[in-house]
């Protein structure tokens, strides 16, 4: 019995030891596999985080570059607009369609601050006249003096013989052509009337030195006269008078519609006057709102 018991115990203990050892080996193997898998997962997570961080950094850098480029572009456009806004305004209005011209004319595009009310004397009868006396009619206004040796006669002859005859009777009836003397000391009413005999269609105006000074100031006319306080000039009749040589076209309300300079071709002046009287286009409206569709009224 003792022998059998010992043998039996020995034989029973052997499988237990083998099973234990096998179990422990499996656990160790499984633990190693689990640790290896865990380490692999950790490494993958770290790599994924690194990739995301790298992608985020790249996106941040790209966004910064785009933002910097946008700011640079907007700054450049702003500077370009500041230095070119006048040209943009002009070209933008020039390219408006024909049906927008009337609206353009009513916009506050501005006119030169030239002209205004005045009170003078008619040379033909010596009666006072004001700017209101010509309301409802256009005016051609020229400033000069009767003793002018060349400029005044040349300009007035151009209007008298080359411009006015090209206007229709209806257009002439709606237009007053005025000569304003800037030499009130020598240009009396009789002297002006004698001077205008060579220039058909003109009406003469004169006034006191104060009245002449006032209207010349409003129309930005430059002129020189002798100092009336200087005795040498009081009895001098052959003194020079320098003055601006412009002719103004005023509308029915006395506002400036066009300005004609010395030696400007008569044909251009005729077209300009007709453009205003027939189409209501001033020199300033023409420049701003002109389009190709208005080729029939080109200057």
């Amino acid at each position: 019995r003792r022998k059998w018991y010992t043998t039996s115990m020995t034989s029973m203990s052997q499988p237990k030891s083998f099973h234990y050892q096998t179990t422990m080996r499996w656990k160790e193997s499984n633990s190693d596999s689990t640790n290896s898998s865990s380490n692999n997962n950790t490494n993958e997570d770290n790599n994924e985080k690194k990739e995301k961080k790298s992608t985020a950094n790249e996106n941040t850098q790209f966004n910064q570059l785009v933002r910097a480029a946008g700011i640079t572009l907007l700054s450049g456009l702003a500077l370009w607009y500041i230095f070119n806004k006048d040209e943009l305004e002009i070209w933008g209005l020039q390219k408006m369609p024909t049906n927008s011209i009337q609206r353009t004319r009513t916009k506050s595009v501005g006119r030169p601050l030239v002209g205004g009310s005045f009170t003078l004397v008619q040379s033909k009868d010596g009666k006072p006249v004001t700017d209101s006396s010509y309301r409802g009619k256009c005016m051609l206004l020229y400033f000069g003096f009767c003793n002018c040796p060349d400029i005044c006669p040349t300009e007035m002859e151009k209007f008298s013989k080359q411009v006015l005859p090209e206007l229709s009777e209806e257009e002439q009836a709606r237009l007053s052509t005025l000569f304003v003397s800037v030499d009130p000391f020598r240009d009396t009413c009789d002297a002006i009337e004698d001077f205008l005999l060579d220039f058909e269609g003109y009406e003469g105006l004169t006034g006191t030195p104060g009245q002449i000074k006032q209207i010349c100031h409003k129309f930005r006319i430059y002129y020189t006269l002798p100092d009336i306080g200087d005795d040498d000039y009081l009895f001098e009749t052959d003194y020079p008078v320098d003055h601006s040589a412009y002719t103004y076209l005023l509308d029915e309300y006395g506002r400036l519609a066009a300005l004609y300079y010395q030696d400007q071709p008569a044909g251009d002046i005729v077209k300009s006057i007709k453009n205003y009287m027939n189409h209501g286009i001033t020199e300033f409206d023409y420049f701003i709102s002109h389009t190709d569709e208005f080729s029939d009224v080109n200057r």
Side-chain angles (χ1 to χ4, degrees):
R1 291 181 180 176
R2 181 179 298 170
K3 184 178 178 180
W4 177 86
Y5 175 78
T6 302
T7 304
S8 299
M9 292 299 293
T10 302
S11 61
M12 292 177 63
S13 62
Q14 286 178 353
K16 182 177 180 181
S17 176
F18 176 78
H19 177 72
Y20 175 78
Q21 292 176 0
T22 303
T23 303
M24 292 301 295
R25 287 174 182 170
W26 178 83
K27 286 183 178 181
E28 289 176 358
S29 175
N30 190 35
S31 175
D32 292 340
S33 176
T34 302
N35 291 335
S36 176
S37 177
S38 177
N39 290 333
N40 291 334
N41 291 336
T42 301
N43 291 333
E44 291 178 358
D45 291 341
N46 291 334
N47 291 333
E48 185 177 355
K49 288 180 179 180
K50 289 180 180 180
E51 291 178 359
K52 289 182 178 180
K53 187 174 181 180
S54 176
T55 303
N57 290 335
E58 291 177 357
N59 291 336
T60 301
Q61 293 176 356
F62 178 75
N63 292 335
Q64 289 176 350
L65 289 174
V66 171
R67 190 179 298 111
I71 293 174
T72 303
L73 178 62
L74 291 176
S75 300
L77 289 174
L79 291 174
W80 182 82
Y81 175 77
I82 290 174
F83 290 105
N84 296 275
K85 61 181 180 179
D86 294 335
E87 287 78 2
L88 285 175
E89 290 174 2
I90 291 173
W91 282 104
L93 290 173
Q94 282 182 331
K95 294 181 180 180
M96 284 187 176
T98 305
N99 57 8
S100 301
I101 292 180
Q102 184 63 33
R103 184 178 69 252
T104 303
R105 244 188 258 124
T106 61
K107 287 185 64 176
S108 297
V109 295
R111 292 190 184 190
L113 296 177
V114 176
S117 60
F118 60 83
T119 300
L120 295 172
V121 175
Q122 290 180 322
S123 60
K124 64 180 179 180
D125 54 18
K127 293 182 179 180
V129 65
T130 67
D131 57 294
S132 300
S133 304
Y134 301 97
R135 287 294 180 265
K137 298 181 67 175
C138 297
M139 289 186 286
L140 281 174
L141 200 62
Y142 181 77
F143 294 81
F145 66 107
C146 297
N147 291 299
C148 182
D150 48 17
I151 295 177
C152 294
T154 301
E155 287 299 300
M156 294 175 67
E157 184 177 21
K158 178 176 66 178
F159 277 85
S160 178
K161 296 183 178 181
Q162 300 179 43
V163 175
L164 297 181
E166 296 298 323
L167 303 178
S168 66
E169 293 183 1
E170 181 184 356
E171 291 168 343
Q172 292 185 31
R174 295 166 50 198
L175 183 66
S176 294
T177 306
L178 308 176
F179 168 78
V180 180
S181 172
V182 297
D183 186 8
F185 303 119
R186 293 180 297 182
D187 291 350
T188 62
C189 291
D190 292 338
I192 294 175
E193 286 298 302
D194 291 339
F195 175 69
L196 294 181
L197 291 176
D198 295 329
F199 310 107
E200 184 179 357
Y202 274 89
E203 176 183 339
L205 299 178
T206 186
T208 65
Q211 291 173 331
I212 298 301
K213 180 178 180 180
Q214 184 181 46
I215 188 174
C216 288
H217 175 74
K218 291 183 177 181
F219 282 89
R220 306 298 189 266
I221 291 294
Y222 165 80
Y223 72 106
T224 61
L225 283 177
D227 186 357
I228 59 175
D230 191 335
D231 293 338
D232 293 337
Y233 275 120
L234 288 178
F235 304 101
E236 181 64 52
T237 59
D238 192 22
Y239 52 82
V241 177
D242 293 329
H243 64 93
S244 305
Y246 297 111
T247 299
Y248 299 87
L249 175 65
L250 307 181
D251 65 13
E252 296 87 344
Y253 301 96
R255 299 173 303 186
L256 182 64
L259 178 67
Y260 307 123
Y261 54 86
Q262 181 184 353
D263 297 331
Q264 186 169 352
D268 291 349
I269 298 174
V270 171
K271 290 180 181 179
S272 174
I273 295 174
K274 286 180 174 291
N275 281 341
Y276 177 72
M277 301 190 77
N278 299 324
H279 301 282
I281 302 175
T282 69
E283 288 292 294
F284 315 107
D285 293 330
Y286 183 91
F287 177 70
I288 293 172
S289 61
H290 173 65
T291 61
D292 292 337
E293 291 79 3
F294 258 84
S295 58
D296 59 317
V297 291
N298 284 344
R299 289 191 300 166

